[in-house]
Amino acid sequence: MAMSLIGIVLGIAFFVITQAQTSGFEAFFIRTILGTNGAIKISDRFQDMDGTVSKVSKDGNFQFFFRSREEAQYTEGIRFPDEIRNALASYQDITGISEVLEGTAELAGSSRSFPVIFQGIRYHDHSQVSELNNQLIAGAIVDFAKDPMSILVGNRIAERLMLKIGDRIVMKGGTGTLQLRIAGVFETGVSQIDKKRIYIHLSTARQFKGERFAGSFFQLALDNPDKAPELAAQIQYHLGHRSVSWQEREKVWLDVFKALRISSAITVSSILLLSGLGIFNVFAIMVIEKTRDIAILRSMGFSRFDASAVFLWQGLIILFLGVLLGSFFGFLSTYFISEIPLRIRGIFSTDSFVVNWDVFHYLWAISLASVFVVIATWVPARRAGKIQPAKIIRETL
Amino acid sequence: MKHPPLLQAKNLKYSFNETGTSTHVLNDVSIELFPGEITSIVGPSGCGKSTLLYLLGLLDRPDSGEISLNEKDVLKCDDKKRTILRNHKLGFVFQFHFLIKELSVLDNVALPMRKAGKSKTASYEKARDVLGKLGLLDKSNRFPHKLSGGEQQRVAIARAIINSPSLILADEPTGNLDTENSKKVHSVLSKLAIEENISVLIVTHNLELAQSCDRVIKMRDGRIIE
């Protein structure tokens, strides 16, 4: 029985630990991508709205559904940004709107050049839809804000071109060349961004690119990022521009995290299942061993429920101790794991294990343990309650 | 004037059904038990003595017939009511003591009273009192395996009478004891019947013990013959 209790304790603890880790990394990844690319991206204009989005009225509530976009026609960029901005301002869930002009260029340092993707932004707007402020690891954001010919570069670009704050750098491509001053170096942790992206002022980007609208998009921040798919569908329907939520944009990674989380939950649940089987075996044997005692107790006036209750109580005590100790060890272990140094760069940036403190991890672990223990206890307990005293006593004599 | 019967059974029939074959164990058995009377049932093995005892003790149900306790039909009672009746009105003594080995003598004896809802203090006080009457007070803290066979059986009797039952049903209570201990157990049961006005029904093979009872019922082939 002690082994079964240990199994329940470890099962709950491991469940909490693995869920804290997997969901921790997932939550951190989501924070990173929301802080980098925003919750919704509004880009190209549609030409055949009917083929892509449909609106259905259900009990007075409208719901929006996507169909295939494969046949949709797009016009690159946002042609009337001011009108779109005004329309977006009417959505209460949107907390930030940033107009961005994106394009490709080549950065030329003192000794080598490097291809980059530039994003022209208005700093004030963009700070409301990203964590750019917090992602800055060198330089000052105010220097960027006040100088239209300044530039923020990803840390991997800065490393490759050996750039320092205040250095002058030439951006080639588009309508010609621009000489820009390094105002800051940022690190998002997403390697594809850190080694490709630079930020310049929107006006400078327009001047550099020569095209006013091609490559332009809006990046939005939401009050509740979970509402992004629904809102993106509405925006796409109403404004006729392609709107992509962060969930759709990062579907691959989110699916990977989800699969990882479920997989670890299933794996760890097997510990609880095995412990449940252990408890079942112990109780089943105990019922067989105690059949005579149960029959005697029944002859003394103990009811069927009394006979079952002996086992149910033992099961509940095991469950209670398992939940208490398992949750405690899970909590403690999660804390110690969060202190373990671990440098990760690529999809996000962290220097230690990322954990997510969520009461639902405990509730899930407790629920699973409860289901296994209750079933493992209930079946033998029911059998104990069904013992026929006369038959058992007759067979014993 | 004779008291009305404490327990009355009429035309009890009982059969075992195993692998599709029905074996008749009891055929139209009727019996009456009176308070303060000690009755024995004798007969060859397999004649249905113990089965009758279990039916009268509400541990099993007959195929047909009537059983009334204190003039109340108890056959129609549900399992819950029968369980309560067993706790309050009946006491069982078996061939083997069937004490719970994990519990002390005192705990074993107090168990039915605790089940009846009495406090631990009251139950232990009564248990000590009963054990004292049976000469086992000094053994109350021992565990069953530390007692002799006769002592174990007397503890079983103490457990059977702690709730002051109206009827004690004893199935071969001396079957596992030597002559001296058999006499002691029988003496205890007789004394209880007289002093506590309890009805005692003893199933036994021991003819000497049976003859010393107030009434002897003989059974054969599932019927009462005398």
Side-chain angles (χ1 to χ4, degrees):
Chain A
M1 196 58 86
M3 289 305 291
S4 300
L5 175 62
I6 291 170
I8 297 293
V9 171
L10 291 180
I12 291 175
F14 284 146
F15 190 97
V16 167
I17 294 164
T18 52
Q19 289 303 298
Q21 284 176 56
T22 50
S23 69
F25 281 119
E26 183 182 11
F28 197 73
F29 169 75
I30 291 169
R31 276 205 303 277
T32 302
I33 57 148
L34 284 175
T36 308
N37 291 332
I40 292 176
K41 183 181 178 183
I42 302 171
S43 53
D44 312 326
R45 191 164 71 88
F46 276 120
Q47 288 187 339
D48 62 341
M49 283 300 300
D50 293 340
T52 57
V53 181
S54 60
K55 185 172 76 169
V56 178
S57 171
K58 213 174 186 180
D59 305 328
N61 296 320
F62 285 107
Q63 289 189 330
F64 295 85
F65 294 97
F66 281 107
R67 287 203 288 273
S68 169
R69 284 209 184 100
E70 285 172 11
E71 293 171 13
Q73 299 289 316
Y74 297 103
T75 302
E76 198 186 350
I78 294 173
R79 188 163 296 275
F80 304 105
D82 292 339
E83 283 80 351
I84 295 288
R85 179 185 285 275
N86 287 338
L88 289 173
S90 65
Y91 288 88
Q92 287 182 341
D93 293 323
I94 297 174
T95 55
I97 305 166
S98 176
E99 187 184 350
V100 180
L101 183 64
E102 193 175 65
T104 56
E106 196 166 302
L107 271 191
S110 53
S111 59
R112 58 197 293 196
S113 59
F114 195 73
V116 293
I117 295 169
F118 68 83
Q119 287 198 348
I121 58 169
R122 290 189 187 97
Y123 167 70
H124 179 72
D125 288 349
H126 208 71
S127 65
Q128 292 179 358
V129 300
S130 72
E131 294 287 328
L132 191 53
N133 242 343
N134 300 328
Q135 290 163 351
L136 216 62
I137 56 171
I141 204 76
V142 286
D143 290 344
F144 174 74
K146 68 185 179 191
D147 180 3
M149 296 308 285
S150 60
I151 180 173
L152 300 174
V153 297
N155 68 324
R156 301 280 289 273
I157 300 169
E159 283 167 14
R160 288 201 180 188
L161 296 178
M162 291 181 287
L163 299 173
K164 295 191 299 292
I165 303 301
D167 283 357
R168 296 278 170 183
I169 191 160
V170 173
M171 191 167 88
K172 294 178 185 172
T175 55
T177 59
L178 283 177
Q179 195 165 44
L180 302 163
R181 188 181 63 83
I182 307 290
V185 177
F186 65 85
E187 182 185 26
T188 63
V190 185
S191 60
Q192 284 303 316
I193 294 175
D194 293 339
K195 70 182 181 188
K196 286 285 179 191
R197 187 179 293 181
I198 62 166
Y199 290 107
I200 57 176
H201 285 259
L202 181 60
S203 54
T204 311
R206 279 182 181 149
Q207 182 193 337
F208 176 77
K209 197 167 182 184
E211 295 174 62
R212 190 168 166 76
F213 305 113
S216 61
F217 65 86
F218 274 103
Q219 185 169 316
L220 308 182
L222 301 184
D223 190 26
N224 178 6
D226 291 338
K227 286 184 176 174
E230 186 190 343
L231 202 64
Q234 286 181 31
I235 290 169
Q236 179 155 307
Y237 178 79
H238 288 301
L239 305 185
H241 282 68
R242 182 182 182 190
S243 299
V244 180
S245 65
W246 63 272
Q247 288 95 332
E248 190 183 354
R249 195 175 65 218
E250 307 295 343
K251 191 173 184 310
V252 173
W253 277 111
L254 292 176
D255 284 348
V256 168
F257 280 117
K258 190 177 173 184
L260 203 63
R261 206 171 63 235
I262 293 171
S263 160
S264 65
I266 291 170
T267 308
V268 176
S269 297
S270 64
I271 299 175
L272 291 170
L273 177 66
L274 288 175
S275 306
L277 285 173
I279 292 170
F280 175 81
N281 279 339
V282 170
F283 280 149
I285 291 167
M286 210 186 276
V287 169
I288 292 168
E289 282 179 350
K290 296 290 175 188
T291 298
R292 199 192 66 187
D293 285 348
I294 293 166
I296 297 304
L297 288 172
R298 295 275 287 123
S299 77
M300 276 191 259
F302 282 80
S303 64
R304 291 179 189 279
F305 178 75
D306 292 329
S308 299
V310 173
F311 298 94
L312 290 174
W313 270 114
Q314 288 191 54
L316 284 176
I317 289 167
I318 290 170
L319 180 62
F320 179 74
L321 290 174
V323 163
L324 214 63
L325 295 172
S327 300
F328 176 70
F329 284 124
F331 181 86
L332 217 59
S333 307
T334 304
Y335 172 76
F336 284 123
I337 285 169
S338 72
E339 297 294 308
I340 296 173
L342 176 76
R343 184 181 158 81
I344 295 178
R345 298 290 186 277
I347 56 169
F348 46 70
S349 168
T350 178
D351 294 318
S352 67
F353 255 92
V354 183
V355 296
N356 186 23
W357 299 97
D358 190 342
V359 71
F360 281 101
H361 300 155
Y362 294 83
L363 292 179
W364 266 108
I366 292 167
S367 303
L368 275 172
S370 301
V371 167
F372 290 137
V373 174
V374 165
I375 292 172
T377 309
W378 176 253
V379 176
R382 194 163 163 265
R383 192 173 164 183
K386 283 190 168 181
I387 284 173
Q388 299 289 338
K391 184 172 181 283
I392 300 302
I393 293 167
R394 192 183 287 119
E395 286 170 357
T396 309
L397 294 175
Chain B
M1 187 183 139
K2 198 171 184 182
H3 289 286
L6 170 75
L7 184 139
Q8 197 169 26
K10 284 183 190 168
N11 309 115
L12 294 181
K13 287 188 179 178
Y14 187 87
S15 54
F16 289 124
N17 286 301
E18 279 176 2
T19 60
T21 316
S22 183
T23 311
H24 295 284
V25 182
L26 294 179
N27 276 312
D28 284 323
V29 172
S30 298
I31 187 172
E32 286 184 341
L33 301 175
F34 296 92
E37 186 184 57
I38 182 160
T39 310
S40 65
I41 301 178
V42 292
S45 293
C47 71
K49 306 184 295 292
S50 296
T51 302
L52 176 62
L53 190 103
Y54 300 148
L55 292 178
L56 299 179
L58 310 180
L59 289 174
D60 210 345
R61 287 178 188 271
D63 299 336
S64 63
E66 294 171 21
I67 300 175
S68 49
L69 189 63
N70 288 326
E71 298 179 332
K72 283 178 187 165
D73 186 357
V74 289
L75 271 190
K76 287 174 187 162
C77 295
D78 60 12
D79 193 63
K80 192 179 171 186
K81 180 73 180 164
R82 289 156 65 89
T83 302
I84 292 169
L85 283 171
R86 280 202 300 273
N87 184 243
H88 291 182
K89 302 281 184 188
L90 306 176
F92 288 92
V93 182
F94 299 99
Q95 182 178 353
F96 301 102
H97 56 82
F98 287 153
L99 298 172
I100 293 172
K101 64 181 180 186
E102 290 86 357
L103 300 181
S104 69
V105 165
L106 190 67
D107 287 327
N108 263 290
V109 175
L111 208 52
M113 205 165 164
R114 296 283 289 139
K115 174 56 200 165
K118 299 291 188 296
S119 70
K120 196 172 180 178
T121 314
S123 304
Y124 280 6
E125 196 178 324
K126 181 80 185 287
R128 284 195 193 93
D129 182 40
V130 173
L131 284 169
K133 282 181 186 171
L134 297 177
L136 292 165
L137 189 57
D138 57 330
K139 310 279 168 67
S140 59
N141 290 322
R142 291 195 186 179
F143 283 86
H145 67 277
K146 296 281 184 187
L147 302 177
S148 70
E151 287 171 336
Q152 287 170 339
Q153 201 61 313
R154 278 187 285 152
V155 173
I157 294 171
R159 185 178 65 183
I161 63 170
I162 190 165
N163 275 346
S164 306
S166 312
L167 172 63
I168 290 178
L169 299 156
D171 189 5
E172 302 270 11
T174 59
N176 206 31
L177 302 177
D178 56 30
T179 313
E180 192 185 340
N181 275 313
S182 295
K183 281 181 181 168
K184 274 186 187 172
V185 166
H186 183 67
S187 156
V188 167
L189 290 172
S190 304
K191 203 175 165 190
L192 283 170
I194 297 162
E195 289 180 1
E196 312 277 336
N197 201 31
I198 295 173
S199 176
V200 179
L201 179 66
I202 301 173
V203 165
T204 183
H205 279 108
N206 187 333
L207 288 176
E208 192 185 341
L209 187 145
Q211 295 301 335
S212 62
C213 294
D214 299 330
R215 191 153 57 103
V216 181
I217 295 170
K218 290 181 181 168
M219 283 187 74
R220 185 183 295 160
D221 300 330
R223 291 175 192 278
I224 291 176
I225 55 169
E226 198 179 317

